Amino acid sequence: MGIVSLRGMLHGQLATEVAQEAIATLIVFSGIGAITGAIADYLVRDAVETLYRNRVQWYRDELAKREAGLAVSTEEPTT
């Protein structure tokens, strides 16, 4: 909004024109931010869920090995 106001001052535009452009710019960039935030939220949630599911599966596999009397690995899953 500040950049639009500065540009308006430099070009000698009226305050009402500058305010309208600034508000329109603010609305456009808030929409872009909302979309970007939703995508980032989805990606982070998916990554965390995948790590959690891998960890739970590793735990179940190790419990099954222990009950069967097989060698148990001490390495935890990293992915």
Side-chain angles (χ1 to χ4, degrees):
M1 199 163 163
I3 292 174
V4 174
S5 300
L6 180 63
R7 184 181 56 87
M9 259 185 2
L10 293 175
H11 289 280
Q13 293 178 325
L14 295 174
T16 56
E17 293 173 9
V18 173
Q20 289 173 352
E21 290 177 10
I23 291 171
T25 304
L26 185 64
I27 291 169
V28 168
F29 280 103
S30 68
I32 292 170
I35 292 169
T36 304
I39 291 169
D41 181 56
Y42 173 78
L43 292 175
V44 168
R45 284 178 186 259
D46 185 51
V48 169
E49 181 181 358
T50 300
L51 288 173
Y52 175 76
R53 289 181 185 276
N54 287 344
R55 173 80 178 203
V56 168
Q57 188 59 43
W58 171 82
Y59 180 74
R60 289 178 179 167
D61 292 344
E62 294 302 316
L63 280 179
K65 285 180 187 177
R66 184 170 288 175
E67 289 175 0
L70 300 174
V72 178
S73 72
T74 57
E75 293 184 25
E76 296 182 8
T78 56
T79 57

